[in-house]
Amino acid sequence: MEFRDLKKQYQVLKERMDKAVIEVMTDCNFISGRQVKELEEKLASYVGVKHCITCGNGTDALSMMLMAWGIGEGDAVFVPDFTFFATGEVVSFEGATPVFVDVDSDTFNMDPVSLEKAILAVKAEGKLAPKVVIPVDLFGLPADYDRINEIACRYGMKVLEDAAQGFGGVYKGRRAGSLGDAATTSFFPAKPLGCYGDGGAIFTNDDQEAEYLRSIAVHGKGSFKYDNVRIGWNSRLDTIQAAILLVKFDAFIEYELEDVNKVASWYTEVLKDKVKTPVVPEGCYSSWAQYTIQVKNEEERTALQQKLKEQGIPTMVYYPKPMHEQTAYKDLNQYIECPVTKRLCRTVFSLPFDGYKQKNDIHSICNIVEV
Ligand SMILES: *Cc1c(COP(=O)(O)O)cnc(C)c1O
């Protein structure tokens, strides 16, 4: 069994996909072709924001947004302790300091109480200026934006939604990508909306920000490519990837998003009495980047993963290490304790998941999950 069956997805979409890719090759408009613009317009309208700026990957997207906000040395940026490394990495890359915040044990997302505690600790020390919060929509579920935005606003900070795993999710009637002051996503193949390589996008309602982002994505261009008005870099989405995403986006909104929710409900139905299953709070809708369960301890996890592996069922641990325990951050000041993250890193694991799995696949996996 595949952990995430991208082969099956391709088989289903093959005819449309092959045609779309060959069209780009026939036209030879590999960079900034019309498919890129078409995709940006479709995604912006779906998410419900004015501008979508595509770029090279989800990490660049985060970096460029921090650049647009002028974040750098002396600034504190609050990031969940339980996330993919990139969320914190971009902060350090811009010269600012990541401050790790604990998460909620039901939703895996940033805990607003821990966030405020971390902000107060930074202010009390007086060395860094609290500037940005980066909540992550982990495993497809939007974070608690009402409470996070309120706290950020009270301390004069901006909110950058990291929706790399969250595209397609909904929070109280608003789509992921529209829930902070700006948002980013990733089109890495295994994300909810993935392409066939690297890709990413930024979402913002601010015209000036959008213009700045489009400029730094292409060497700080001004009125045209060879008029360089600032220092930028090169981060663009290939036309081929945009063409692939246009096909995938149709499938995503036509049936995939519904199907992943159906598969998740099959899992939860059977597993809810055996292990701790993922919680989707009232008013939220997940795009299920992962289906992640919690067991009692690390020994139980290792044993279960082994049992599944023996039956040919792959599992993954997202994430085995808190951000603050990463070697790259060994010299970084940790402002608050993150006990929930520490426990989750020892007790979570993710089961094979995609919208193409059948009910009997899920049941045969669940039969092996006995604790
Ligand atoms: C994947 C991911 C990123 C980075 O996206 P890339 O496209 O791989 O650069 C950032 N944040 C989170 C939470 C992610 O899962």
Side-chain angles (χ1 to χ4, degrees):
M1 185 180 290
E2 300 276 333
F3 184 73
R4 190 175 183 87
D5 204 343
L6 295 174
K7 287 177 193 154
K8 181 73 205 273
Q9 186 195 40
Y10 173 60
Q11 278 158 19
V12 173
L13 300 174
K14 185 174 184 338
E15 208 173 305
R16 281 194 277 168
M17 197 63 93
D18 292 0
K19 189 166 162 278
V21 170
I22 287 169
E23 195 180 333
V24 177
M25 294 191 281
T26 310
D27 295 351
C28 289
N29 58 354
F30 301 113
I31 306 289
S32 308
R34 64 171 170 76
Q35 290 88 338
V36 176
K37 189 158 182 282
E38 188 186 334
L39 178 74
E40 289 179 341
E41 283 167 1
K42 279 194 170 166
L43 297 186
S45 135
Y46 176 77
V47 163
V49 300
K50 205 164 166 193
H51 304 280
C52 167
I53 300 104
T54 54
C55 62
N57 55 68
T59 308
D60 284 4
L62 286 165
S63 263
M64 290 201 292
M65 202 58 234
L66 293 177
M67 274 170 84
W69 287 344
I71 300 306
E73 207 180 324
D75 295 336
V77 177
F78 298 81
V79 172
D81 200 29
F82 191 60
T83 181
F84 179 61
F85 190 64
T87 317
E89 180 184 32
V90 293
V91 175
S92 308
F93 190 78
E94 294 304 322
T97 304
V99 176
F100 300 119
V101 173
D102 210 1
V103 297
D104 180 274
S105 64
D106 281 343
T107 64
F108 307 114
N109 281 330
M110 183 181 271
D111 174 4
V113 173
S114 178
L115 169 64
E116 186 151 21
K117 222 159 116 186
I119 296 169
L120 291 173
V122 167
K123 286 176 82 83
E125 186 204 35
K127 283 189 187 155
L128 300 170
K131 285 281 178 68
V132 176
V133 187
I134 311 186
V136 175
D137 302 336
L138 205 73
F139 306 148
L141 180 71
D144 190 352
Y145 286 94
D146 279 356
R147 290 170 70 198
I148 291 170
N149 287 342
E150 185 276 320
I151 293 168
C153 180
R154 196 147 34 82
Y155 291 96
M157 300 164 72
K158 282 192 187 291
V159 174
L160 173 53
E161 175 188 5
D162 181 352
Q165 302 181 14
F167 191 83
V170 179
Y171 179 83
K172 300 187 180 175
R174 285 175 296 146
R175 287 221 167 89
S178 73
L179 302 171
D181 293 289
T184 61
T185 196
S186 163
F187 305 123
F188 181 83
K191 309 279 172 160
L193 179 63
C195 61
Y196 287 170
D198 278 312
I202 306 164
F203 298 97
T204 174
N205 280 314
D206 187 300
D207 296 343
Q208 265 172 335
E209 264 170 33
E211 194 187 315
Y212 175 88
L213 291 164
R214 290 194 187 283
S215 165
I216 57 168
V218 187
H219 309 289
K221 71 172 173 166
S223 57
F224 67 106
K225 192 176 167 186
Y226 299 104
D227 168 31
N228 306 93
V229 297
R230 54 175 70 85
I231 301 300
W233 57 15
N234 176 18
S235 184
R236 289 178 291 220
L237 183 74
D238 292 339
T239 309
I240 282 191
Q241 300 301 348
I244 288 163
L245 282 165
L246 282 169
V247 175
K248 287 235 206 169
F249 179 63
D250 283 346
F252 188 80
I253 55 176
E254 277 164 27
Y255 57 85
E256 275 187 358
L257 196 49
E258 272 170 47
D259 287 352
V260 290
N261 275 278
K262 193 173 63 192
V263 174
S265 73
W266 292 339
Y267 262 133
T268 301
E269 218 174 86
V270 184
L271 291 179
K272 67 180 187 305
D273 301 324
K274 300 184 182 190
V275 293
K276 187 164 165 50
T277 48
V279 175
V280 178
E282 182 85 38
C284 288
Y285 186 72
S286 177
S287 57
W288 297 102
Q290 302 294 342
Y291 189 89
T292 302
I293 59 173
Q294 296 175 51
V295 293
K296 274 195 237 47
N297 52 45
E298 200 165 1
E299 293 69 43
E300 197 172 291
R301 177 172 75 183
T302 310
L304 258 181
Q305 283 192 286
Q306 183 58 31
K307 218 160 98 184
L308 286 158
K309 191 176 169 197
E310 280 160 14
Q311 302 296 318
I313 296 163
T315 58
M316 304 287 267
V317 175
Y318 302 114
Y319 296 91
K321 239 182 185 189
M323 292 289 280
H324 78 268
E325 283 180 16
Q326 292 291 348
T327 310
Y329 284 133
K330 65 181 189 311
D331 298 326
L332 194 71
N333 186 15
Q334 174 67 5
Y335 285 86
I336 54 160
E337 294 290 317
C338 297
V340 177
T341 298
K342 276 190 168 172
R343 178 165 54 78
L344 291 176
C345 289
R346 293 192 305 261
T347 56
V348 294
F349 71 104
S350 305
L351 296 170
F353 194 88
D354 56 67
Y356 296 87
K357 302 242 183 291
Q358 304 298 313
K359 199 165 188 173
N360 58 336
D361 297 325
I362 301 309
H363 282 179
S364 59
I365 295 168
C366 293
N367 284 339
I368 305 167
V369 180
E370 286 295 346
V371 293

